[in-house]
């Protein structure tokens, strides 16, 4: 059981969220109803805010589902007059409560998240922070947020090849129940009689909602080698679902350019060749004049010519990132891409 918090508004919202989530997380359902007929104003408001977060969590997790029956619908139940007597019938009204989950990273404005530095709503001393840092593996939480950010950015900023490269984005290692861990952290906050920052908690919950959805996407699309047809079809569907249709236009442009290059070349089947080999100096200066690699990476769907290699197999064209150190750098191509995805700007 979750300990009842002191009369902190943010704690009541967190308490309401975890109380409902813990009860239903292992159940199969497609409808949730909360009753706001009784209770003081602060509790009703807390419950509605928690309900909104819960529905948004499920909306994100189910973003890639095409089956509408798997989507969770929320309703608010209310009596048409105050409920003041027991064992008496009251008429009720049921309102549908809709939420809209957008494909926006929750910590988008926080470049380097130090979780326990922004988790408390009131000033806490260094001793409390040290206690939390010692008791909970904050680095693991921070790393999970960072890995999720990279996976998210590979889609949001249109670098889909990176999403399927486990050396760049390793979602398989993120197997912990992070919402359960957030609940344990919240319990400790209540025990210390301090107030959680519900805005930070909400961002963390939604980040791990995206993580659950992205892991589900990767597990469904296990591919040994990525070909251009697969990228084009898969991300055409995803970009439509995520409201990123403009990304698809750029991806189609860059994929078609690679196809045209391969058609005009004499590349042998089964031979991996760096994409830069197909560019003459004149063509390079005309089409790839900027020396800003990060800019070029995102401007060309992640297909930097020096970073990728191509293989032809009949009508199929496979593409991958080069697994080697970049000349003149102490980092590999894939390590540099990881830095691009951490901070696209």
């Amino acid at each position: 059981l979750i300990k009842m918090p002191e009369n902190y508004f943010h704690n009541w919202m967190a308490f309401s969220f975890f109380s409902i989530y813990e009860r239903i997380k292992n159940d199969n359902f497609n409808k949730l109803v909360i009753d706001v007929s009784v209770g003081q104003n602060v509790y009703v408001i807390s419950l509605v805010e928690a309900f909104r977060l819960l529905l948004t969590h499920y909306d994100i997790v189910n973003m890639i589902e095409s089956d509408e029956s798997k989507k969770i619908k929320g309703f608010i139940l209310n009596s048409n007059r105050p409920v003041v007597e027991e064992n008496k019938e009251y008429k009720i009204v049921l309102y549908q409560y809709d939420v809209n989950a957008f494909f926006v990273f929750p910590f988008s404005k926080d470049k380097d998240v130090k979780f326990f530095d922004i988790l408390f709503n009131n000033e806490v001393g260094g001793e409390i922070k040290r206690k939390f840092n010692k008791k909970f593996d904050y680095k693991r939480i921070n790393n999970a947020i960072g890995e999720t950010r990279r996976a998210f950015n590979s889609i949001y900023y249109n670098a889909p090849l990176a999403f399927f490269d486990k050396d760049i984005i390793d979602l398989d290692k993120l197997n912990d129940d992070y919402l359960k861990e957030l609940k344990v952290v919240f319990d400790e906050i209540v025990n210390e009689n301090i107030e959680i920052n519900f805005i930070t908690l909400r961002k963390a919950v939604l980040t791990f909602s995206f993580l659950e959805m992205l892991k589900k996407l990767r597990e469904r699309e296990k591919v040994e080698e990525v070909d251009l047809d697969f990228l084009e079809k898969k991300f055409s569907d995803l970009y439509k679902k995520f409201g990123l249709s403009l990304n698809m236009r750029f991806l189609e442009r860059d994929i078609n350019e690679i196809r045209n290059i391969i058609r005009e070349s004499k590349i042998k089947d089964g031979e991996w060749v760096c994409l830069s080999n197909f560019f003459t100096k004149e063509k390079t200066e005309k089409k790839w004049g900027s020396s800003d690699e990060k800019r070029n990476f995102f401007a060309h769907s992640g297909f930097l010519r020096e970073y990728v290699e191509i293989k032809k197999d009949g009508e199929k064209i496979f593409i991958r990132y080069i697994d080697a150190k970049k000349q003149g750098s102490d980092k590999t191509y894939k390590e540099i891409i990881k830095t691009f995805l951490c901070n696209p700007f």
Side-chain angles (χ1 to χ4, degrees):
L1 293 176
I2 303 174
K3 180 182 175 182
M4 295 285 281
E6 295 292 331
N7 197 22
Y8 289 124
F9 182 52
H10 283 233
N11 281 7
W12 276 110
M13 289 188 286
F15 173 79
S16 300
F17 170 78
F18 285 119
S19 295
I20 302 173
Y21 178 73
E22 286 293 304
R23 285 175 178 268
I24 66 173
K25 65 180 181 180
N26 296 320
D27 297 338
N28 292 320
F29 57 91
N30 59 10
K31 184 184 294 185
L32 278 175
V33 181
I34 59 170
D35 184 355
V36 296
S37 300
V38 295
Q40 298 177 21
N41 288 343
V42 66
Y43 302 137
V44 171
I45 294 171
S46 300
L47 179 60
V48 172
E49 278 297 306
F51 193 50
R52 182 162 70 100
L53 175 57
L54 190 70
L55 292 175
T56 308
H57 160 72
Y58 284 112
D59 212 33
I60 291 172
V61 169
N62 293 318
M63 259 186 173
I64 60 174
E65 300 293 345
S66 54
D67 185 355
E68 287 296 319
S69 67
K70 293 185 178 181
K71 302 293 178 70
I72 310 299
K73 292 182 179 179
F75 297 87
I76 294 179
L77 181 153
N78 191 28
S79 169
N80 64 343
R81 56 197 178 95
V83 178
V84 293
E85 297 180 44
E86 293 184 4
N87 302 318
K88 185 174 181 179
E89 289 187 0
Y90 290 85
K91 289 184 179 180
I92 61 169
V93 182
L94 200 63
Y95 301 95
Q96 185 162 347
Y97 188 72
D98 291 326
V99 299
N100 291 311
F102 297 99
F103 199 76
V104 177
F105 194 68
F107 285 107
S108 58
K109 294 182 180 179
D110 308 288
K111 298 304 178 188
D112 296 306
V113 178
K114 295 179 181 175
F115 189 64
F116 288 122
D117 286 349
I118 56 176
L119 186 61
F120 309 108
N121 206 35
N122 42 7
E123 287 294 325
V124 297
E127 185 178 343
I128 292 289
K129 286 187 179 181
R130 283 191 294 272
K131 181 177 180 179
F132 272 81
N133 287 336
K134 186 177 180 180
K135 189 166 186 176
F136 301 103
D137 190 352
Y138 71 97
K139 288 184 179 178
R140 192 166 50 79
I141 295 178
N142 289 348
N143 289 339
I145 293 172
E147 199 73 32
T148 306
R149 184 198 299 275
R150 275 196 294 275
F152 179 95
N153 284 349
S154 70
I155 297 174
Y156 188 80
Y157 293 106
N158 190 29
L161 181 59
F163 181 75
F164 291 103
D165 193 315
K166 292 184 179 180
D167 293 331
I168 298 173
I169 298 167
D170 187 5
L171 297 181
D172 293 342
K173 68 183 180 182
L174 305 179
N175 292 320
D176 296 312
D177 187 343
Y178 293 100
L179 291 191
K180 181 179 179 180
E181 190 155 344
L182 290 178
K183 185 257 182 189
V184 174
V185 172
F186 172 65
D187 287 346
E188 187 64 25
I189 286 175
V190 172
N191 288 333
E192 293 289 339
N193 194 25
I194 53 182
E195 186 175 22
I196 198 169
N197 185 323
F198 188 74
I199 295 171
T200 298
L201 176 66
R202 181 170 58 212
K203 288 180 179 181
V205 168
L206 297 182
T207 295
F208 296 132
S209 305
F210 275 117
L211 173 59
E212 187 175 341
M213 182 269 288
L214 294 168
K215 281 175 67 71
K216 193 188 302 183
L217 175 60
R218 270 271 284 267
E219 287 167 2
R220 288 183 182 180
E221 305 297 339
K222 289 183 178 178
V223 287
E224 294 298 323
E225 293 182 336
V226 177
D227 68 88
L228 295 181
D229 292 340
F230 167 80
L231 279 182
E232 188 173 37
K233 184 178 186 311
K234 173 51 59 180
F235 280 85
S236 175
D237 296 338
L238 286 177
Y239 286 152
K240 286 177 185 175
K241 287 181 180 179
F242 297 155
L244 302 171
S245 298
L246 188 60
N247 281 8
M248 195 58 231
R249 298 192 65 178
F250 292 124
L251 182 61
E252 287 176 346
R253 177 203 65 189
D254 295 322
I255 285 177
N256 286 331
E257 184 173 357
I258 293 173
R259 285 190 182 121
N260 292 333
I261 289 171
I262 297 303
R263 286 193 193 104
E264 296 170 5
S265 72
K266 296 180 180 179
I267 184 174
K268 297 178 183 178
D269 275 18
E271 180 182 352
W272 286 104
V273 182
C274 183
L275 185 59
S276 64
N277 291 356
F278 301 101
F279 285 79
T280 63
K281 184 178 179 182
E282 180 182 345
K283 192 171 185 179
T284 298
E285 289 175 349
K286 182 180 178 182
K287 298 185 74 66
W288 307 74
S290 173
S291 60
D292 187 337
E293 283 194 332
K294 186 190 288 189
R295 176 262 174 204
N296 275 344
F297 178 83
F298 291 110
H300 294 282
S301 306
F303 303 140
L304 269 182
R305 65 182 188 274
E306 302 94 345
Y307 282 56
V308 299
E309 49 189 5
I310 304 294
K311 180 178 75 171
K312 183 171 172 286
D313 186 0
E315 294 299 314
K316 284 190 175 294
I317 301 169
F318 293 89
I319 186 167
R320 70 184 184 187
Y321 287 113
I322 297 172
D323 190 11
K325 273 193 176 182
K326 184 187 175 189
Q327 188 174 0
S329 172
D330 60 347
K331 293 182 178 180
T332 66
Y333 291 104
K334 293 183 180 184
E335 287 170 341
I336 295 172
I337 291 169
K338 287 176 78 169
T339 65
F340 291 166
L341 292 173
C342 279
N343 183 12
F345 305 103

